[in-house]
């Protein structure tokens, strides 16, 4: 079957130096871009992360320091990667909680204003967990009756994720073949940032999800405690979270002027 698309969707997977969104880096990225007419484009990049790859991480994905020593950095690849994905919705396996946040961090570090406005994200893992509670390899076996060879290779995982989503849509009548529906179905709590430090309340207002101001409206806290904004910008929060906080502060300032 083909996905019912109104715009391109990019399935992608990252292999990284670790799982910390703010401090770890990408060492491999694979993108499978699917167009509404069924056309498919594929591209895989090895990336020099500019830092050592821990031995225990290399044991998982098989990419060593030597493999990426002569490869371009993400900053050098950022424009090419962004050109491929910027007009597309995004999809992946656990992508809402890891791959998209880390990709956003790398893009922002490279000076590209990465944003999800005007597009949606489909997390195939969330659909799978809501339906079957398993892993990608098990999902591939369960839905496609295939063994996932070369697991933790970005390209293999990307191809498997694409096949699993199509099989999920074919299997479950309640799943609509519509990217917006799939994005909403595969989302968890509604976040204003990727990392979950800022969430929306029932009135669609941004609120802190942590610390002494948990559940309080961000705009109220920044207005009542101006120094907190400076602390947040200097603390070890993801760049995208800081971008969202800055936008909220600027919005509040502009509202005062009007």
């Amino acid at each position: 079957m083909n996905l019912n698309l109104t715009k391109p969707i990019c399935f992608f997977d990252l292999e990284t130096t670790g799982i910390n969104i703010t401090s770890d880096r990408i060492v491999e990225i694979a993108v499978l871009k699917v167009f509404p007419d069924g056309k498919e484009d594929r591209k895989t990049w090895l990336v020099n992360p500019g830092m050592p790859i821990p031995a225990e991480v290399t044991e998982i994905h098989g990419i060593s320091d030597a493999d990426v020593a002569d490869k371009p950095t993400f900053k050098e690849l950022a424009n090419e990667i962004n050109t491929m994905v910027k007009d597309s919705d995004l999809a992946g396996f656990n992508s809402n909680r890891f791959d998209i946040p880390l990709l956003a961090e790398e893009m922002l570090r490279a000076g590209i204003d990465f944003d999800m406005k005007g597009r949606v994200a489909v997390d195939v893992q969330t659909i799978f967990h809501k339906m079957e509670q398993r892993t990608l390899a098990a999902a591939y076996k369960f839905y496609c009756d295939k063994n996932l060879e070369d697991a933790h290779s970005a390209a293999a995982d990307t191809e498997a994720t694409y096949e699993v989503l199509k099989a999920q849509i074919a299997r479950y009548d309640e799943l609509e073949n519509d990217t917006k529906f799939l994005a909403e179905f595969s989302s968890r709590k509604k976040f204003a940032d990727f990392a979950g430090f800022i969430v929306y309340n029932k009135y669609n207002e941004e609120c802190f999800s942590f610390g002494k101001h948990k559940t309080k409206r961000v705009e109220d806290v920044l207005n009542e405690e101006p120094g907190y904004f400076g602390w947040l910008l200097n603390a070890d929060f993801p760049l995208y979270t800081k971008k969202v906080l800055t936008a909220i502060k600027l919005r509040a300032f502009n509202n005062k002027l009007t």
Side-chain angles (χ1 to χ4, degrees):
M1 67 170 296
N2 292 322
L3 295 180
N4 183 20
L5 303 175
T6 57
K7 66 189 299 184
I9 184 168
C10 283
F11 291 80
F12 79 105
D13 186 70
L14 307 178
E15 302 303 337
T16 66
T17 59
I19 59 174
N20 188 305
I21 291 170
T22 58
S23 62
D24 280 305
R25 300 292 186 268
I26 295 170
V27 298
E28 185 181 34
I29 176 171
V31 179
L32 165 58
K33 186 171 185 176
V34 184
F35 294 84
D37 64 2
K39 176 187 171 185
E40 299 174 3
D41 283 346
R42 293 169 172 79
K43 182 72 175 179
T44 301
W45 297 267
L46 279 172
V47 184
N48 186 331
M51 63 185 294
I53 304 172
E56 62 271 20
V57 177
T58 294
E59 289 180 6
I60 295 173
H61 54 49
I63 302 171
S64 67
D65 291 334
D67 294 325
V68 296
D70 62 346
K71 302 302 179 183
T73 63
F74 189 88
K75 187 172 184 178
E76 293 170 321
L77 294 169
N79 284 325
E80 182 182 356
I81 295 170
N82 188 53
T83 296
M84 188 170 186
V85 306
K86 66 181 180 180
D87 64 340
S88 307
D89 293 327
L90 299 179
F93 200 84
N94 194 35
S95 50
N96 284 358
R97 292 191 295 177
F98 182 72
D99 298 84
I100 292 177
L102 186 51
L103 179 63
E105 290 298 292
E106 291 277 39
M107 287 290 187
L108 291 170
R109 277 191 289 266
I112 292 177
D113 189 19
F114 182 89
D115 209 308
M116 289 296 292
K117 290 179 180 177
R119 53 182 174 173
V120 298
V122 178
D123 193 326
V124 176
Q125 185 194 60
T126 303
I127 296 174
F128 184 37
H129 285 179
K130 284 186 175 182
M131 295 298 189
E132 305 294 344
Q133 307 285 314
R134 296 185 186 257
T135 63
L136 176 57
Y140 198 48
K141 181 66 176 178
F142 183 86
Y143 290 110
C144 306
D145 197 25
K146 299 178 183 178
N147 293 319
L148 180 54
E149 305 295 341
D150 204 15
H152 296 296
S153 155
D157 288 356
T158 297
E159 297 286 343
T161 300
Y162 176 41
E163 288 191 47
V164 167
L165 178 60
K166 291 191 292 182
Q168 286 174 328
I169 295 169
R171 185 182 185 91
Y172 302 112
D173 291 339
E174 60 266 44
L175 293 183
E176 298 178 16
N177 191 348
D178 175 80
T179 308
K180 184 177 180 181
F181 172 87
L182 294 169
E184 292 175 353
F185 187 87
S186 63
S187 67
R188 291 182 171 87
K189 200 167 186 178
K190 190 177 180 184
F191 299 135
D193 64 337
F194 293 129
F197 292 109
I198 306 170
V199 299
Y200 289 103
N201 62 18
K202 63 182 180 180
Y203 304 108
N204 211 37
E205 300 168 324
E206 300 98 338
C207 298
F208 286 110
S209 67
F210 68 96
K212 63 180 182 179
H213 295 304
K214 186 175 182 179
T215 73
K216 294 181 182 177
R217 293 198 327 148
V218 173
E219 189 172 324
D220 292 340
V221 172
L222 298 185
N223 182 54
E224 296 166 4
E225 193 176 332
Y228 194 58
F229 178 70
W231 177 82
L232 290 167
L233 292 189
N234 289 313
D236 189 25
F237 288 99
L239 293 176
Y240 196 87
T241 300
K242 295 177 181 179
K243 174 185 173 181
V244 171
L245 287 167
T246 302
I248 295 171
K249 186 173 180 64
L250 288 174
R251 184 185 67 204
F253 178 75
N254 290 332
N255 287 342
K256 288 181 180 179
L257 297 179
T258 57

